[in-house]
């Protein structure tokens, strides 16, 4: 069997990376990072195009606004469901196979969404949204692919640069949703489903990009370059071995908790902020500006968080994440009718998420053996998405029963385990 893009099973086959020497590494790192950045832009664009009108489409198909919130729940469930199978695939076959599969699942999900809209089937629509959301698993996994060949002292910056690239697609996506809807006029497809037609095409383009250009595979190359002490047998790459690696490393546990707590606190507070703003008289345009500022905080400043994490250390930036997320909860939770205070709180919330994701992802990669990294990283993505999905569901109940202010109190409390483990880690290092 040849290992070329034209081979039937080439996309999912494990390649044997060509010999890479030390002088080759700088150019290889730059090329791999450029490919990953391009895929992040495409992946972010595909997700953002569809998400922009997902809730509206769900309302149109279901016939009731009460069920429209299930659209966001379905898109969050997708990456959680795909995280562990994707980790198992990448552990055995490399990053390229996993990233291609994730984008293909996203494209298939988008097609099912369109079919559900055409036949007016709400269950089919939700199933499609789960698959569509799973496409974002590729964007999450790409940050770890950037770390595979990075020098340890530049690992956080490599992760943060790929995370930053999502900003471009995330900003462009919602602005393309309207013309995407108009483009399907006369085809028997509802205008609100048009963005998913485009999303499917974008995901397919990203999959093709990964299949053709992500060579040699960064994870398999990193393993080939690892010293004898870091090389493990195949059973050392299993999901069970990944879980064992986390249990045996206090720093890996801290990293896992950091990523999960930061993501859950962010999603819980952010998801209900539009509701709180509308209760205080904010219109759609103002709500959009607040959320745009939040997204800018999440992605645009991630290179700063990467630089700080490499220069000051992972624990320092984890502490910064705790501080920023706590300040964000205080600002947003006490804002009341002050839209400006809420906007500042949401911007700081995005910064805190960025600090937690970048430093936690770098620390996780630092803390486990080379062979177990892909499995542990998949476990991290599964944990963060599952926790965030539960947090998003509970956020609505908390706001309904106690109010938006108390939701921010709960969000701040989620940070306590993260803070305690960070302090414990700092004390041990002292």
């Amino acid at each position: 069997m040849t290992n070329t893009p034209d081979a039937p099973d080439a996309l999912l086959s494990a390649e044997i990376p060509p010999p890479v020497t030390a002088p080759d590494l700088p150019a290889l790192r730059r090329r791999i990072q450029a490919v990953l950045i391009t895929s992040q832009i495409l992946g972010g664009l595909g997700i953002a195009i569809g998400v922009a009108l997902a809730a509206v489409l769900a309302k149109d198909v279901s016939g009731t606004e009460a069920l429209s919130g299930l659209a966001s729940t379905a898109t969050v469930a997708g990456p959680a469901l795909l995280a562990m199978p994707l980790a198992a695939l990448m552990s055995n076959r490399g990053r390229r196979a996993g990233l291609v599969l994730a984008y293909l699942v996203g494209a298939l999900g988008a097609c099912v969404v369109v079919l559900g809209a055409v036949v007016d089937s709400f269950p089919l629509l939700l199933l499609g949204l789960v698959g569509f959301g799973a496409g974002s698993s590729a964007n999450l996994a790409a940050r770890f692919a950037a770390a595979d060949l990075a020098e340890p002292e530049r690992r956080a910056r490599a992760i943060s640069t790929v995370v930053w690239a999502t900003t471009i697609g995330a900003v462009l996506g919602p602005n393309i949703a309207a013309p995407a809807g108009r483009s399907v006029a006369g085809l028997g497809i509802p205008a609100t489903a048009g963005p998913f037609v485009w999303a499917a095409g974008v995901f397919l383009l990203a999959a093709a990009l990964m299949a053709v250009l992500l060579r040699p595979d960064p994870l398999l190359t990193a393993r080939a370059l690892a010293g004898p002490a870091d090389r493990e047998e195949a059973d050392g790459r299993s999901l069970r071995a990944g879980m064992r690696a986390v249990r045996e490393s206090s720093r890996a546990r801290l990293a896992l908790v950091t990523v999960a707590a930061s993501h859950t606190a962010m999603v819980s507070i952010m998801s209900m902020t539009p509701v709180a703003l509308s209760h205080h008289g904010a219109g759609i345009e103002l709500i959009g500006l607040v959320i745009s500022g939040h997204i800018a905080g999440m992605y645009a400043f991630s290179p700063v968080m990467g630089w700080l994490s490499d220069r000051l250390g992972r624990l320092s930036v984890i502490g910064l994440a705790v501080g920023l997320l706590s300040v964000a909860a205080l600002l947003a939770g006490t804002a009341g009718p002050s839209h400006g205070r809420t906007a500042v709180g949401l911007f700081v919330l995005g910064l805190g998420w960025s600090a937690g994701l970048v430093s936690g992802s770098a620390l996780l990669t630092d803390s486990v053996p080379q062979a177990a990294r892909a499995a542990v990283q998949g476990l991290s993505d599964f944990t963060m998405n599952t926790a965030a999905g539960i947090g998003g569901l509970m956020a609505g109940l908390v706001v309904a029963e106690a109010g938006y202010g108390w939701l921010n109190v709960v969000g701040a409390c989620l940070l306590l385990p993260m803070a305690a483990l960070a302090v414990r880690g700092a004390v041990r290092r002292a």
Side-chain angles (χ1 to χ4, degrees):
M1 182 184 71
T2 58
N3 187 30
T4 68
D6 298 323
D9 55 354
L11 294 183
L12 300 181
S13 64
E15 64 183 48
I16 299 175
V20 176
T21 61
D24 298 330
L25 274 176
L28 179 59
R29 289 186 184 113
R30 289 192 296 271
R31 188 171 66 79
I32 292 294
Q33 188 171 65
V35 174
L36 292 171
I37 287 173
T38 305
S39 75
Q40 285 291 94
I41 294 172
L42 291 172
L45 179 62
I47 287 290
I49 292 174
V51 165
L53 292 178
V56 178
L57 178 59
K59 180 180 75 68
D60 291 345
V61 173
S62 67
T64 172
E65 192 173 286
L67 295 177
S68 61
L70 290 177
S72 61
T73 302
T75 56
V76 170
L81 291 172
L82 191 60
M84 297 305 282
L86 203 61
L89 177 62
M90 287 191 291
S91 290
N92 291 297
R93 301 291 184 178
R95 299 292 185 192
R96 182 170 59 90
L99 293 172
V100 169
L101 178 63
Y103 283 129
L104 291 178
V105 171
L108 177 61
C111 292
V112 174
V113 168
V114 175
L115 178 61
V118 170
V119 302
D120 206 30
S121 170
F122 188 63
L124 192 61
L125 177 74
L126 288 181
L127 178 64
L129 286 171
V130 171
F132 167 75
S136 64
S137 298
N139 279 35
L140 290 171
R143 76 188 193 277
F144 290 123
D148 287 332
L149 293 174
E151 307 99 312
E153 66 275 11
R154 297 185 62 85
R155 189 169 282 151
R157 274 170 281 188
I159 291 172
S160 65
T161 300
V162 171
V163 172
W164 168 85
T166 309
T167 311
I168 301 173
V171 170
L172 288 176
N175 296 300
I176 297 175
R182 291 193 295 268
S183 71
V184 298
L187 299 178
I189 299 174
T192 47
F196 290 93
V197 176
W198 284 38
V202 171
F203 281 148
L204 288 174
L205 180 59
L209 177 77
M210 291 290 98
V212 174
L213 297 182
L214 197 66
R215 296 170 180 272
D217 187 282
L219 178 60
L220 300 182
T221 302
R223 285 178 181 165
L225 291 170
D230 290 328
R231 292 197 184 101
E232 306 263 349
E233 297 299 327
D235 59 359
R237 301 195 294 266
S238 67
L239 294 178
R240 181 177 297 178
M243 293 177 186
R244 183 171 62 248
V246 172
R247 287 197 303 269
E248 293 174 351
S249 171
S250 60
R251 289 168 64 83
R253 291 195 297 273
L254 167 60
L256 201 67
V257 169
T258 294
V259 173
S262 300
H263 193 57
T264 304
M266 184 277 291
V267 169
S268 300
I269 295 172
M270 179 272 294
S271 64
M272 296 309 297
T273 298
V275 176
L277 286 169
S278 65
H279 286 168
H280 291 290
I284 293 176
E285 291 184 358
L286 179 57
I287 291 173
L289 286 174
V290 171
I291 298 303
S292 294
H294 169 67
I295 293 172
M298 287 175 64
Y299 296 116
F301 294 88
S302 58
V304 176
M305 301 306 175
W307 182 83
L308 290 173
S309 187
D310 283 335
R311 292 296 298 271
L312 303 180
R314 319 304 192 214
L315 291 178
S316 297
V317 180
I318 289 174
L320 176 63
V322 172
L324 287 170
L325 291 168
S326 299
V327 169
L330 176 64
L331 289 171
T334 59
S338 174
H339 298 153
R341 189 182 180 99
T342 301
V344 173
L346 264 288
F347 175 74
V348 176
L349 184 71
L351 289 178
W353 176 87
S354 181
L357 183 78
V358 170
S359 60
S361 299
L363 181 62
L364 189 70
T365 304
D366 295 340
S367 304
V368 297
Q370 171 65 252
R373 281 179 184 170
V376 171
Q377 291 159 352
L379 177 63
S380 172
D381 285 347
F382 169 77
T383 303
M384 69 181 281
N385 283 299
T386 301
I390 295 171
L393 287 174
M394 296 302 295
L397 296 176
V398 172
V399 170
E401 295 296 326
Y404 180 68
W406 279 104
L407 172 63
N408 283 271
V409 172
V410 173
C413 289
L414 293 174
L415 306 174
L416 293 176
M418 172 178 160
L421 288 174
V423 170
R424 184 178 178 184
V427 170
R428 285 183 172 180
R429 292 190 65 185

